[in-house]
Amino acid sequence: MKQDKLHLKLKDENIIYLNSIQNIRWTSSDKPIEKAKELAKGKKSDEEKVKAVYDFITANIVYDQALAKNVPSDYLPSIERTFDSKKDICYGYSSLFAAMLRSMDIPTKLVMGQTEYLDVYHAWNEVYLNGKWVTIDTTLDAGTVQSKKKAAMIKDSKMYTKAKQY
């Protein structure tokens, strides 16, 4: 397999993690983006905004066991579908979280790979907060929060191994 490398010189290299792309597709009029604006009202820092969106997703979106058993090979998340149905697999959780944060100009990556917390291929996010990238896993934490247990929003990045990032 042939690969080429392309080097871009950007004033801010994190700007690429603010865009709507194929697997994190959003527009300013989408319901989840409107919800993000509502959640951000009165919040001063990016950290407060991230926590508000994190709390919303972990409390309201459940893991879709049926979809997880039969994920189509061409599956792409839809933030509207996840938001409306209130369920998805990790890819959908991560896409929704990324879109909501990107819409508020908070650089966010959708990351795929392995985690020591699970024995299956997984998706999570990295969010640029206070000058550094932090690991946040809304899928893992939704199960914890919904079972009335406490979850730490920021994870130990050493527990995750990246294969892809968007």
Side-chain angles (χ1 to χ4, degrees):
M1 184 168 108
K2 185 177 183 288
Q3 287 187 335
D4 289 326
K5 287 196 179 215
L6 174 67
H7 294 283
L8 298 174
K9 290 195 185 246
L10 303 170
K11 286 181 186 172
D12 178 1
E13 63 189 38
N14 296 329
I15 200 163
I16 60 172
Y17 299 110
L18 295 174
N19 296 310
S20 174
I21 59 173
Q22 182 180 16
N23 51 2
I24 309 170
R25 188 174 305 279
W26 60 274
T27 66
S28 60
S29 62
D30 291 338
K31 284 181 274 185
I33 303 311
E34 292 293 328
K35 183 65 176 178
K37 286 180 203 160
E38 177 189 317
L39 292 168
K41 269 193 184 128
K43 306 291 187 282
K44 305 260 186 277
S45 69
D46 283 353
E47 198 160 4
E48 289 176 308
K49 293 173 188 173
V50 169
K51 179 77 167 102
V53 173
Y54 167 88
D55 287 345
F56 172 79
I57 290 175
T58 59
N60 293 289
I61 308 297
V62 297
Y63 193 75
D64 189 339
Q65 298 288 350
L67 177 59
K69 288 179 182 145
N70 295 297
V71 181
S73 59
D74 63 347
Y75 179 80
L76 279 174
S78 158
I79 67 166
E80 289 277 326
R81 182 181 60 230
T82 305
F83 187 81
D84 289 341
S85 69
K86 297 198 178 332
K87 63 183 179 178
D88 212 324
I89 57 174
C90 57
Y91 194 8
Y93 275 84
S94 302
S95 179
L96 177 62
F97 192 55
M100 290 175 82
L101 296 182
R102 286 180 177 197
S103 76
M104 294 187 285
D105 291 328
I106 300 170
T108 306
K109 299 175 186 177
L110 186 158
V111 186
M112 296 175 158
Q114 301 292 327
T115 177
E116 293 183 31
Y117 297 113
L118 302 167
D119 61 1
V120 294
Y121 197 68
H122 188 52
W124 64 92
N125 299 97
E126 288 182 359
V127 180
Y128 196 71
L129 275 179
N130 303 319
K132 65 182 195 255
W133 288 100
V134 297
T135 300
I136 300 177
D137 191 335
T138 54
T139 311
L140 199 62
D141 291 350
T144 304
V145 167
Q146 291 164 21
S147 63
K148 307 290 185 226
K149 295 183 183 133
K150 207 116 166 80
M153 181 174 77
I154 297 175
K155 301 289 179 235
D156 180 352
S157 61
K158 292 183 198 90
M159 301 294 283
Y160 293 79
T161 305
K162 281 186 216 184
K164 302 175 187 172
Q165 70 181 22
Y166 303 94

